[in-house]
Amino acid sequence: MLMTITIVGGGLAGATVATELRDSGYTEPIALFASEAHFPYERPPLSKGFLLGEKPLSSAYVHEPDWYAANNVDLHLTTPVVEIRPTDHVLETANGTQPFGQLVLATGASPRPLPMADHSGKEVVYLRTMDDSMKLKDRLANKPKVAIIGAGWIGLEVAAAARAADCEVTVFESAAKPLIGVLGPEIAQVFEDLHRAHGVDLRLDHETTQADLEDADLVVVGIGAIPATKLAKEAGLDIDNGVLVDAQLRTSHPDIYAIGDIANHDHPVLKRRIRVEHWDTAIEQAKVAAHNLLGKDEPYERFPYFFTDQYDLGMEYVGSVGPEGYDDLIIEGDLADKFRAYWLRQGKVVAAMHVNDWDATEVLRASIGNSPSAI
Ligand SMILES: Cc1cc2nc3c(=O)[nH]c(=O)nc-3n(C[C@H](O)[C@H](O)[C@H](O)COP(=O)(O)OP(=O)(O)OC[C@H]3O[C@@H](n4cnc5c(N)ncnc54)[C@H](O)[C@@H]3O)c2cc1C
């Protein structure tokens, strides 16, 4: 059997698979196909450190450019994979046909388009790539009036960066509070207060129309992302809100794994399917997939984790409230400054977060699944 492990998608998840394979002692060929021209990079700095001018773009790279050749990883930049034929164990790019032994799909997600904004006649930015971030950073330096559609993580981080650049900022959100779907009304209020205190004009419960954008010089759309499943679907893999994978991150084809933003995972501890669009999941699923590619049978059991930085607020969140919701919320500390919050269902913690309390991370992680008295 051909031993080449091929990775499709040169983002954080894809590059981490290659890293973990080499760290685990795998010496056979690895091929990594990436659509973008940039060496694999992580995205959080694109809406934070880099956008704020606090960190160079180079801080986002997963590895120094020479790491790939030094580790015998055959990296094909600017080479989108256009077709996968699982039965034949081959894939197609513009450069021809490539055989593979096992394959990892890590094609990520792309911003959900908003035709209303695209047809508004305004300059519109979606923030996903390094190129998007460089463009946005240049534009913010000219202090445009910024209209942001969507008060999710990206919309709010861009709002913070735009305020730091001294821009006038209006954020439009159809829900009653920013992030209410993830955090519930109590903690969502913290983010509403934070942005208002920093001078953001937050228009909540508001369906944005082109008339709202009339005064804006720049429109940023942040209304979520869509998993990049086209290749997997055309290859005949099972798809449903992402590529369906089992507990071990295997798709419906035994030699193909899917990880990161694209993977809809059968989580053995949460006991339901979950697709997570977070940095930590991209890294940790990549490690487990690498082990399984090498013959292990490791389930991915880690709870979702994410972080954000906005102005002087830093937070980390672990766990998942999920569709069943929560029936109690415990808050320790001061919501206006530094606190820990625990979401409970039937007496057990299902998710926990802290704001500006950096000693809390492991305590929060350990609290999931336990009763509050055990915290
Ligand atoms: C601006 C921004 C800020 C973020 N901040 C945070 C944060 O603070 N905290 C957090 O937890 N998460 C954050 N995230 C989310 C996090 O970055 C993602 O969860 C993570 O990037 C997922 O990694 P991935 O490798 O699965 O996908 P991606 O990073 O999207 O990488 C997939 C790559 O595959 C390539 N590709 C797609 N199709 C093909 C193909 N056919 N052939 C070859 N290549 C292909 C794409 O071009 C892309 O480069 C942020 C995301 C963005 C956009």
Side-chain angles (χ1 to χ4, degrees):
M1 180 177 144
L2 183 72
M3 295 299 288
T4 303
I5 294 179
T6 297
I7 303 159
V8 182
L12 180 58
T16 306
V17 176
T19 311
E20 188 69 9
L21 285 170
R22 289 296 180 236
D23 287 352
S24 304
Y26 181 71
T27 54
E28 300 291 335
I30 299 174
L32 175 50
F33 289 91
S35 298
E36 293 186 53
H38 300 285
F39 283 88
Y41 59 90
E42 49 184 50
R43 300 182 194 273
L46 308 185
S47 52
K48 305 180 195 59
F50 172 69
L51 195 61
L52 287 158
E54 293 170 353
K55 284 190 176 165
L57 203 51
S58 57
S59 69
Y61 288 112
V62 179
H63 291 296
E64 296 291 324
D66 58 7
W67 182 91
Y68 299 91
N71 285 276
N72 194 20
V73 174
D74 195 7
L75 174 61
H76 303 258
L77 296 176
T78 333
T79 312
V81 171
V82 293
E83 188 189 355
I84 298 166
R85 295 201 298 278
T87 316
D88 305 333
H89 280 76
V90 295
L91 57 77
E92 299 287 343
T93 72
N95 303 330
T97 307
Q98 300 273 341
F100 64 83
Q102 298 182 90
L103 187 90
V104 183
L105 278 170
T107 48
S110 51
R112 186 179 298 283
L114 185 62
M116 178 281 288
D118 297 340
H119 299 141
S120 64
K122 298 287 175 177
E123 187 183 359
V124 177
V125 174
Y126 293 84
L127 179 53
R128 182 78 197 176
T129 65
M130 268 190 173
D131 295 342
D132 297 336
S133 181
M134 286 190 272
K135 177 175 163 190
L136 182 57
K137 186 166 185 267
D138 280 354
R139 286 296 283 113
L140 294 183
N142 298 327
K143 302 198 192 327
K145 282 189 189 165
V146 185
I148 298 172
I149 305 177
W153 300 112
I154 289 186
L156 294 182
E157 288 174 1
V158 171
R163 288 300 297 137
D166 217 11
C167 303
E168 240 178 74
V169 179
T170 308
V171 177
F172 299 96
E173 167 59 52
S174 55
K177 295 201 181 296
L179 306 168
I180 193 169
V182 194
L183 301 178
E186 304 88 346
I187 306 297
Q189 190 64 49
V190 172
F191 285 86
E192 179 177 342
D193 294 346
L194 177 75
H195 283 270
R196 291 204 195 283
H198 283 85
V200 173
D201 181 359
L202 257 181
R203 313 268 179 95
L204 302 172
D205 252 331
H206 187 91
E207 283 303 329
T208 319
T209 65
Q210 286 183 349
D212 294 316
L213 307 179
E214 233 156 58
D215 290 340
D217 304 312
L218 179 69
V219 177
V220 180
V221 177
I223 57 166
I226 300 174
T229 53
K230 184 171 179 282
L231 262 187
K233 191 173 179 198
E234 289 173 1
L237 301 178
D238 290 347
I239 307 287
D240 182 10
N241 176 32
V243 181
L244 293 180
V245 294
D246 66 11
Q248 288 80 5
L249 304 167
R250 217 172 272 118
T251 67
S252 51
H253 189 286
D255 293 332
I256 305 182
Y257 290 77
I259 55 170
D261 281 8
I262 193 185
N264 184 350
H265 171 230
D266 190 0
H267 198 294
V269 183
L270 295 174
K271 301 205 186 316
R272 61 182 157 85
R273 285 203 166 272
I274 184 165
R275 190 175 66 78
V276 178
E277 291 177 1
H278 295 319
W279 173 90
D280 179 77
T281 305
I283 295 173
E284 299 299 330
Q285 287 191 341
K287 292 181 186 170
V288 169
H291 302 162
N292 292 340
L293 285 159
L294 299 181
K296 296 237 171 68
D297 193 31
E298 203 175 303
Y300 183 77
E301 297 183 323
R302 195 173 161 88
F303 293 119
Y305 158 92
F306 69 91
F307 58 94
T308 186
D309 296 310
Q310 297 170 29
Y311 313 103
D312 50 2
L313 179 153
M315 72 88 110
E316 293 177 291
Y317 178 107
V318 65
S320 169
V321 169
E324 289 173 59
Y326 62 98
D327 49 36
D328 201 3
L329 173 67
I330 297 175
I331 295 166
E332 294 172 354
D334 177 359
L335 283 181
D337 178 22
K338 173 176 167 177
F339 67 90
R340 298 177 186 190
Y342 300 90
W343 287 263
L344 282 87
R345 186 164 60 241
Q346 294 170 354
K348 297 275 164 65
V349 178
V350 288
M353 76 176 256
H354 77 81
V355 163
N356 296 340
D357 185 357
W358 298 99
D359 297 331
T361 317
E362 289 315 314
V363 179
L364 300 186
R365 189 178 288 284
S367 74
I368 308 298
N370 290 312
S371 62
S373 56
I375 295 165

PDB file of all heavy atoms in Angstrom, residues 17-44:
ATOM      1  N   VAL A  17      -1.323  18.503  11.440  1.00  0.00           N
ATOM      2  CA  VAL A  17      -1.243  17.061  11.139  1.00  0.00           C
ATOM      3  C   VAL A  17       0.180  16.709  10.714  1.00  0.00           C
ATOM      4  O   VAL A  17       0.782  15.739  11.214  1.00  0.00           O
ATOM      5  CB  VAL A  17      -2.213  16.646  10.008  1.00  0.00           C
ATOM      6  CG1 VAL A  17      -2.019  15.173   9.658  1.00  0.00           C
ATOM      7  CG2 VAL A  17      -3.644  16.877  10.400  1.00  0.00           C
ATOM      8  N   ALA A  18       0.732  17.501   9.795  1.00  0.00           N
ATOM      9  CA  ALA A  18       2.092  17.222   9.310  1.00  0.00           C
ATOM     10  C   ALA A  18       3.084  17.271  10.478  1.00  0.00           C
ATOM     11  O   ALA A  18       3.949  16.399  10.612  1.00  0.00           O
ATOM     12  CB  ALA A  18       2.474  18.231   8.233  1.00  0.00           C
ATOM     13  N   THR A  19       2.927  18.257  11.337  1.00  0.00           N
ATOM     14  CA  THR A  19       3.830  18.413  12.485  1.00  0.00           C
ATOM     15  C   THR A  19       3.754  17.195  13.399  1.00  0.00           C
ATOM     16  O   THR A  19       4.778  16.634  13.802  1.00  0.00           O
ATOM     17  CB  THR A  19       3.412  19.666  13.304  1.00  0.00           C
ATOM     18  OG1 THR A  19       3.249  20.751  12.412  1.00  0.00           O
ATOM     19  CG2 THR A  19       4.438  19.998  14.373  1.00  0.00           C
ATOM     20  N   GLU A  20       2.532  16.794  13.708  1.00  0.00           N
ATOM     21  CA  GLU A  20       2.355  15.689  14.657  1.00  0.00           C
ATOM     22  C   GLU A  20       2.837  14.362  14.057  1.00  0.00           C
ATOM     23  O   GLU A  20       3.381  13.520  14.771  1.00  0.00           O
ATOM     24  CB  GLU A  20       0.878  15.607  15.073  1.00  0.00           C
ATOM     25  CG  GLU A  20       0.581  14.633  16.202  1.00  0.00           C
ATOM     26  CD  GLU A  20       1.135  15.054  17.568  1.00  0.00           C
ATOM     27  OE1 GLU A  20       1.620  16.202  17.693  1.00  0.00           O
ATOM     28  OE2 GLU A  20       1.107  14.213  18.486  1.00  0.00           O
ATOM     29  N   LEU A  21       2.649  14.192  12.743  1.00  0.00           N
ATOM     30  CA  LEU A  21       3.145  12.968  12.098  1.00  0.00           C
ATOM     31  C   LEU A  21       4.665  12.889  12.246  1.00  0.00           C
ATOM     32  O   LEU A  21       5.212  11.853  12.629  1.00  0.00           O
ATOM     33  CB  LEU A  21       2.766  12.959  10.613  1.00  0.00           C
ATOM     34  CG  LEU A  21       1.297  12.655  10.296  1.00  0.00           C
ATOM     35  CD1 LEU A  21       1.003  12.913   8.811  1.00  0.00           C
ATOM     36  CD2 LEU A  21       0.940  11.203  10.644  1.00  0.00           C
ATOM     37  N   ARG A  22       5.339  14.002  11.970  1.00  0.00           N
ATOM     38  CA  ARG A  22       6.808  13.990  12.090  1.00  0.00           C
ATOM     39  C   ARG A  22       7.222  13.851  13.560  1.00  0.00           C
ATOM     40  O   ARG A  22       8.131  13.079  13.872  1.00  0.00           O
ATOM     41  CB  ARG A  22       7.413  15.266  11.488  1.00  0.00           C
ATOM     42  CG  ARG A  22       7.324  15.311   9.976  1.00  0.00           C
ATOM     43  CD  ARG A  22       8.148  14.194   9.317  1.00  0.00           C
ATOM     44  NE  ARG A  22       8.072  14.237   7.851  1.00  0.00           N
ATOM     45  CZ  ARG A  22       7.677  13.227   7.078  1.00  0.00           C
ATOM     46  NH1 ARG A  22       7.289  12.063   7.599  1.00  0.00           N
ATOM     47  NH2 ARG A  22       7.670  13.346   5.767  1.00  0.00           N
ATOM     48  N   ASP A  23       6.524  14.526  14.459  1.00  0.00           N
ATOM     49  CA  ASP A  23       6.877  14.413  15.894  1.00  0.00           C
ATOM     50  C   ASP A  23       6.651  12.994  16.406  1.00  0.00           C
ATOM     51  O   ASP A  23       7.250  12.578  17.392  1.00  0.00           O
ATOM     52  CB  ASP A  23       6.041  15.392  16.743  1.00  0.00           C
ATOM     53  CG  ASP A  23       6.493  16.824  16.562  1.00  0.00           C
ATOM     54  OD1 ASP A  23       7.529  17.039  15.903  1.00  0.00           O
ATOM     55  OD2 ASP A  23       5.798  17.738  17.061  1.00  0.00           O
ATOM     56  N   SER A  24       5.744  12.256  15.725  1.00  0.00           N
ATOM     57  CA  SER A  24       5.454  10.887  16.158  1.00  0.00           C
ATOM     58  C   SER A  24       6.384   9.867  15.499  1.00  0.00           C
ATOM     59  O   SER A  24       6.198   8.665  15.652  1.00  0.00           O
ATOM     60  CB  SER A  24       4.001  10.522  15.818  1.00  0.00           C
ATOM     61  OG  SER A  24       3.111  11.438  16.378  1.00  0.00           O
ATOM     62  N   GLY A  25       7.329  10.357  14.694  1.00  0.00           N
ATOM     63  CA  GLY A  25       8.328   9.458  14.118  1.00  0.00           C
ATOM     64  C   GLY A  25       7.994   8.928  12.739  1.00  0.00           C
ATOM     65  O   GLY A  25       8.710   8.070  12.221  1.00  0.00           O
ATOM     66  N   TYR A  26       6.942   9.417  12.121  1.00  0.00           N
ATOM     67  CA  TYR A  26       6.578   8.973  10.768  1.00  0.00           C
ATOM     68  C   TYR A  26       7.603   9.505   9.764  1.00  0.00           C
ATOM     69  O   TYR A  26       7.878  10.712   9.749  1.00  0.00           O
ATOM     70  CB  TYR A  26       5.176   9.492  10.439  1.00  0.00           C
ATOM     71  CG  TYR A  26       4.630   9.113   9.092  1.00  0.00           C
ATOM     72  CD1 TYR A  26       4.240   7.811   8.825  1.00  0.00           C
ATOM     73  CD2 TYR A  26       4.494  10.071   8.090  1.00  0.00           C
ATOM     74  CE1 TYR A  26       3.732   7.468   7.579  1.00  0.00           C
ATOM     75  CE2 TYR A  26       3.972   9.742   6.853  1.00  0.00           C
ATOM     76  CZ  TYR A  26       3.598   8.433   6.607  1.00  0.00           C
ATOM     77  OH  TYR A  26       3.079   8.101   5.365  1.00  0.00           O
ATOM     78  N   THR A  27       8.161   8.622   8.943  1.00  0.00           N
ATOM     79  CA  THR A  27       9.240   9.050   8.044  1.00  0.00           C
ATOM     80  C   THR A  27       8.870   8.961   6.560  1.00  0.00           C
ATOM     81  O   THR A  27       9.647   9.354   5.700  1.00  0.00           O
ATOM     82  CB  THR A  27      10.505   8.181   8.275  1.00  0.00           C
ATOM     83  OG1 THR A  27      10.120   6.801   8.154  1.00  0.00           O
ATOM     84  CG2 THR A  27      11.108   8.437   9.652  1.00  0.00           C
ATOM     85  N   GLU A  28       7.683   8.438   6.270  1.00  0.00           N
ATOM     86  CA  GLU A  28       7.268   8.300   4.862  1.00  0.00           C
ATOM     87  C   GLU A  28       6.823   9.673   4.329  1.00  0.00           C
ATOM     88  O   GLU A  28       6.648  10.614   5.100  1.00  0.00           O
ATOM     89  CB  GLU A  28       6.103   7.297   4.769  1.00  0.00           C
ATOM     90  CG  GLU A  28       6.424   5.904   5.263  1.00  0.00           C
ATOM     91  CD  GLU A  28       7.405   5.148   4.362  1.00  0.00           C
ATOM     92  OE1 GLU A  28       7.478   5.481   3.161  1.00  0.00           O
ATOM     93  OE2 GLU A  28       8.103   4.261   4.871  1.00  0.00           O
ATOM     94  N   PRO A  29       6.593   9.770   3.003  1.00  0.00           N
ATOM     95  CA  PRO A  29       6.246  11.086   2.435  1.00  0.00           C
ATOM     96  C   PRO A  29       4.929  11.674   2.982  1.00  0.00           C
ATOM     97  O   PRO A  29       3.974  10.937   3.264  1.00  0.00           O
ATOM     98  CB  PRO A  29       6.099  10.800   0.937  1.00  0.00           C
ATOM     99  CG  PRO A  29       6.829   9.534   0.693  1.00  0.00           C
ATOM    100  CD  PRO A  29       6.747   8.739   1.957  1.00  0.00           C
ATOM    101  N   ILE A  30       4.937  12.996   3.122  1.00  0.00           N
ATOM    102  CA  ILE A  30       3.717  13.755   3.462  1.00  0.00           C
ATOM    103  C   ILE A  30       3.556  14.825   2.387  1.00  0.00           C
ATOM    104  O   ILE A  30       4.513  15.550   2.078  1.00  0.00           O
ATOM    105  CB  ILE A  30       3.845  14.456   4.831  1.00  0.00           C
ATOM    106  CG1 ILE A  30       4.064  13.445   5.958  1.00  0.00           C
ATOM    107  CG2 ILE A  30       2.607  15.316   5.115  1.00  0.00           C
ATOM    108  CD1 ILE A  30       4.344  14.090   7.323  1.00  0.00           C
ATOM    109  N   ALA A  31       2.360  14.926   1.821  1.00  0.00           N
ATOM    110  CA  ALA A  31       2.075  15.996   0.858  1.00  0.00           C
ATOM    111  C   ALA A  31       0.992  16.892   1.443  1.00  0.00           C
ATOM    112  O   ALA A  31       0.022  16.401   2.033  1.00  0.00           O
ATOM    113  CB  ALA A  31       1.604  15.399  -0.463  1.00  0.00           C
ATOM    114  N   LEU A  32       1.183  18.184   1.323  1.00  0.00           N
ATOM    115  CA  LEU A  32       0.233  19.161   1.887  1.00  0.00           C
ATOM    116  C   LEU A  32      -0.167  20.136   0.779  1.00  0.00           C
ATOM    117  O   LEU A  32       0.682  20.852   0.238  1.00  0.00           O
ATOM    118  CB  LEU A  32       0.899  19.881   3.070  1.00  0.00           C
ATOM    119  CG  LEU A  32       0.202  21.032   3.775  1.00  0.00           C
ATOM    120  CD1 LEU A  32      -1.223  20.683   4.166  1.00  0.00           C
ATOM    121  CD2 LEU A  32       0.981  21.435   5.018  1.00  0.00           C
ATOM    122  N   PHE A  33      -1.456  20.138   0.437  1.00  0.00           N
ATOM    123  CA  PHE A  33      -1.958  21.014  -0.637  1.00  0.00           C
ATOM    124  C   PHE A  33      -2.704  22.199  -0.031  1.00  0.00           C
ATOM    125  O   PHE A  33      -3.609  22.005   0.799  1.00  0.00           O
ATOM    126  CB  PHE A  33      -2.893  20.235  -1.569  1.00  0.00           C
ATOM    127  CG  PHE A  33      -2.170  19.239  -2.410  1.00  0.00           C
ATOM    128  CD1 PHE A  33      -2.000  17.932  -1.968  1.00  0.00           C
ATOM    129  CD2 PHE A  33      -1.613  19.609  -3.628  1.00  0.00           C
ATOM    130  CE1 PHE A  33      -1.313  17.007  -2.741  1.00  0.00           C
ATOM    131  CE2 PHE A  33      -0.917  18.681  -4.413  1.00  0.00           C
ATOM    132  CZ  PHE A  33      -0.765  17.380  -3.957  1.00  0.00           C
ATOM    133  N   ALA A  34      -2.340  23.384  -0.475  1.00  0.00           N
ATOM    134  CA  ALA A  34      -2.918  24.608   0.093  1.00  0.00           C
ATOM    135  C   ALA A  34      -3.386  25.526  -1.034  1.00  0.00           C
ATOM    136  O   ALA A  34      -2.636  25.779  -1.979  1.00  0.00           O
ATOM    137  CB  ALA A  34      -1.859  25.317   0.929  1.00  0.00           C
ATOM    138  N   SER A  35      -4.608  26.040  -0.902  1.00  0.00           N
ATOM    139  CA  SER A  35      -5.110  26.970  -1.935  1.00  0.00           C
ATOM    140  C   SER A  35      -4.389  28.309  -1.891  1.00  0.00           C
ATOM    141  O   SER A  35      -4.158  28.934  -2.922  1.00  0.00           O
ATOM    142  CB  SER A  35      -6.584  27.295  -1.693  1.00  0.00           C
ATOM    143  OG  SER A  35      -7.377  26.186  -1.775  1.00  0.00           O
ATOM    144  N   GLU A  36      -4.057  28.722  -0.668  1.00  0.00           N
ATOM    145  CA  GLU A  36      -3.532  30.082  -0.513  1.00  0.00           C
ATOM    146  C   GLU A  36      -2.047  30.140  -0.875  1.00  0.00           C
ATOM    147  O   GLU A  36      -1.349  29.126  -0.861  1.00  0.00           O
ATOM    148  CB  GLU A  36      -3.736  30.569   0.925  1.00  0.00           C
ATOM    149  CG  GLU A  36      -5.201  30.754   1.278  1.00  0.00           C
ATOM    150  CD  GLU A  36      -5.382  31.386   2.656  1.00  0.00           C
ATOM    151  OE1 GLU A  36      -4.797  32.440   2.922  1.00  0.00           O
ATOM    152  OE2 GLU A  36      -6.112  30.799   3.466  1.00  0.00           O
ATOM    153  N   ALA A  37      -1.565  31.353  -1.144  1.00  0.00           N
ATOM    154  CA  ALA A  37      -0.156  31.544  -1.489  1.00  0.00           C
ATOM    155  C   ALA A  37       0.712  31.611  -0.232  1.00  0.00           C
ATOM    156  O   ALA A  37       1.926  31.455  -0.311  1.00  0.00           O
ATOM    157  CB  ALA A  37      -0.007  32.837  -2.285  1.00  0.00           C
ATOM    158  N   HIS A  38       0.097  31.852   0.926  1.00  0.00           N
ATOM    159  CA  HIS A  38       0.874  32.002   2.164  1.00  0.00           C
ATOM    160  C   HIS A  38       1.217  30.646   2.768  1.00  0.00           C
ATOM    161  O   HIS A  38       0.438  29.703   2.658  1.00  0.00           O
ATOM    162  CB  HIS A  38       0.061  32.784   3.200  1.00  0.00           C
ATOM    163  CG  HIS A  38      -0.319  34.150   2.737  1.00  0.00           C
ATOM    164  ND1 HIS A  38       0.583  35.187   2.680  1.00  0.00           N
ATOM    165  CD2 HIS A  38      -1.495  34.655   2.294  1.00  0.00           C
ATOM    166  CE1 HIS A  38      -0.023  36.270   2.231  1.00  0.00           C
ATOM    167  NE2 HIS A  38      -1.294  35.975   1.978  1.00  0.00           N
ATOM    168  N   PHE A  39       2.356  30.585   3.448  1.00  0.00           N
ATOM    169  CA  PHE A  39       2.651  29.397   4.240  1.00  0.00           C
ATOM    170  C   PHE A  39       1.558  29.263   5.295  1.00  0.00           C
ATOM    171  O   PHE A  39       0.946  30.271   5.689  1.00  0.00           O
ATOM    172  CB  PHE A  39       4.044  29.539   4.888  1.00  0.00           C
ATOM    173  CG  PHE A  39       5.152  29.295   3.912  1.00  0.00           C
ATOM    174  CD1 PHE A  39       5.662  30.331   3.140  1.00  0.00           C
ATOM    175  CD2 PHE A  39       5.657  28.021   3.744  1.00  0.00           C
ATOM    176  CE1 PHE A  39       6.662  30.095   2.208  1.00  0.00           C
ATOM    177  CE2 PHE A  39       6.661  27.770   2.812  1.00  0.00           C
ATOM    178  CZ  PHE A  39       7.163  28.812   2.038  1.00  0.00           C
ATOM    179  N   PRO A  40       1.298  28.017   5.751  1.00  0.00           N
ATOM    180  CA  PRO A  40       0.187  27.831   6.701  1.00  0.00           C
ATOM    181  C   PRO A  40       0.284  28.762   7.916  1.00  0.00           C
ATOM    182  O   PRO A  40       1.362  28.950   8.481  1.00  0.00           O
ATOM    183  CB  PRO A  40       0.352  26.355   7.101  1.00  0.00           C
ATOM    184  CG  PRO A  40       0.929  25.711   5.876  1.00  0.00           C
ATOM    185  CD  PRO A  40       1.885  26.731   5.343  1.00  0.00           C
ATOM    186  N   TYR A  41      -0.862  29.338   8.264  1.00  0.00           N
ATOM    187  CA  TYR A  41      -0.890  30.300   9.372  1.00  0.00           C
ATOM    188  C   TYR A  41      -2.156  30.106  10.181  1.00  0.00           C
ATOM    189  O   TYR A  41      -3.112  29.476   9.739  1.00  0.00           O
ATOM    190  CB  TYR A  41      -0.817  31.737   8.845  1.00  0.00           C
ATOM    191  CG  TYR A  41      -1.936  32.134   7.907  1.00  0.00           C
ATOM    192  CD1 TYR A  41      -3.118  32.711   8.394  1.00  0.00           C
ATOM    193  CD2 TYR A  41      -1.830  31.925   6.539  1.00  0.00           C
ATOM    194  CE1 TYR A  41      -4.149  33.067   7.538  1.00  0.00           C
ATOM    195  CE2 TYR A  41      -2.859  32.279   5.674  1.00  0.00           C
ATOM    196  CZ  TYR A  41      -4.010  32.848   6.173  1.00  0.00           C
ATOM    197  OH  TYR A  41      -5.030  33.200   5.323  1.00  0.00           O
ATOM    198  N   GLU A  42      -2.137  30.659  11.391  1.00  0.00           N
ATOM    199  CA  GLU A  42      -3.341  30.632  12.226  1.00  0.00           C
ATOM    200  C   GLU A  42      -4.053  31.979  12.137  1.00  0.00           C
ATOM    201  O   GLU A  42      -3.430  33.009  11.881  1.00  0.00           O
ATOM    202  CB  GLU A  42      -2.998  30.252  13.660  1.00  0.00           C
ATOM    203  CG  GLU A  42      -1.861  31.012  14.287  1.00  0.00           C
ATOM    204  CD  GLU A  42      -1.544  30.489  15.677  1.00  0.00           C
ATOM    205  OE1 GLU A  42      -1.392  29.284  15.844  1.00  0.00           O
ATOM    206  OE2 GLU A  42      -1.478  31.335  16.591  1.00  0.00           O
ATOM    207  N   ARG A  43      -5.372  31.942  12.376  1.00  0.00           N
ATOM    208  CA  ARG A  43      -6.171  33.127  12.060  1.00  0.00           C
ATOM    209  C   ARG A  43      -6.433  34.102  13.217  1.00  0.00           C
ATOM    210  O   ARG A  43      -6.722  35.275  12.961  1.00  0.00           O
ATOM    211  CB  ARG A  43      -7.498  32.689  11.416  1.00  0.00           C
ATOM    212  CG  ARG A  43      -7.247  31.921  10.136  1.00  0.00           C
ATOM    213  CD  ARG A  43      -8.473  31.468   9.380  1.00  0.00           C
ATOM    214  NE  ARG A  43      -8.070  30.487   8.380  1.00  0.00           N
ATOM    215  CZ  ARG A  43      -7.651  30.789   7.150  1.00  0.00           C
ATOM    216  NH1 ARG A  43      -7.652  32.032   6.736  1.00  0.00           N
ATOM    217  NH2 ARG A  43      -7.248  29.843   6.317  1.00  0.00           N
ATOM    218  N   PRO A  44      -6.365  33.665  14.493  1.00  0.00           N
ATOM    219  CA  PRO A  44      -6.712  34.625  15.557  1.00  0.00           C
ATOM    220  C   PRO A  44      -6.001  35.990  15.482  1.00  0.00           C
ATOM    221  O   PRO A  44      -6.647  37.020  15.701  1.00  0.00           O
ATOM    222  CB  PRO A  44      -6.366  33.850  16.842  1.00  0.00           C
ATOM    223  CG  PRO A  44      -6.657  32.422  16.482  1.00  0.00           C
ATOM    224  CD  PRO A  44      -6.197  32.293  15.046  1.00  0.00           C
TER     225      PRO A  44
END
